[in-house]
Amino acid sequence: MKPDLVIVRGDATPEEVAALVAVLATRHGRQQPSPAPRRRTWRNPVRAMRKPVLPGKSAWRMSALP
C-alpha cells in the first residue's frame, strides 16, 4: 500500500506530522456553500386569489380579472 504523505527532507516528529495532516485535511474538506433553492411561485396558492379592487380609472375591467 502506497502512503499518502511522504516526508522527503528533515526529521519530523509525530506531532508535527499530525499537525500537517490536520491542516491538509481541513483545507481539502472545504467546499463552496450550495446556493439557496429557488422558490417556486407558480404553485403558490396566493397566486389564485384575487387582488382587491380599488376604485379608479378602469376599475370595472380589473373586477373581472382573477
Side-chain angles (χ1 to χ4, degrees):
M1 184 172 169
K2 185 177 178 181
D4 293 332
L5 180 67
V6 178
I7 299 175
V8 178
R9 185 182 287 176
D11 188 23
T13 64
E15 292 83 13
E16 292 172 338
V17 174
L20 178 63
V21 169
V23 168
L24 292 176
T26 57
R27 183 173 177 157
H28 178 67
R30 216 181 273 175
Q31 294 179 354
Q32 296 293 332
S34 60
R38 293 179 54 191
R39 294 184 69 193
R40 306 222 187 267
T41 57
W42 63 269
R43 60 181 171 180
N44 191 350
V46 175
R47 276 188 74 204
M49 295 181 191
R50 193 177 109 185
K51 294 176 179 56
V53 179
L54 300 174
K57 186 177 179 181
S58 71
W60 62 274
R61 285 187 196 149
M62 299 302 288
S63 66
L65 297 176

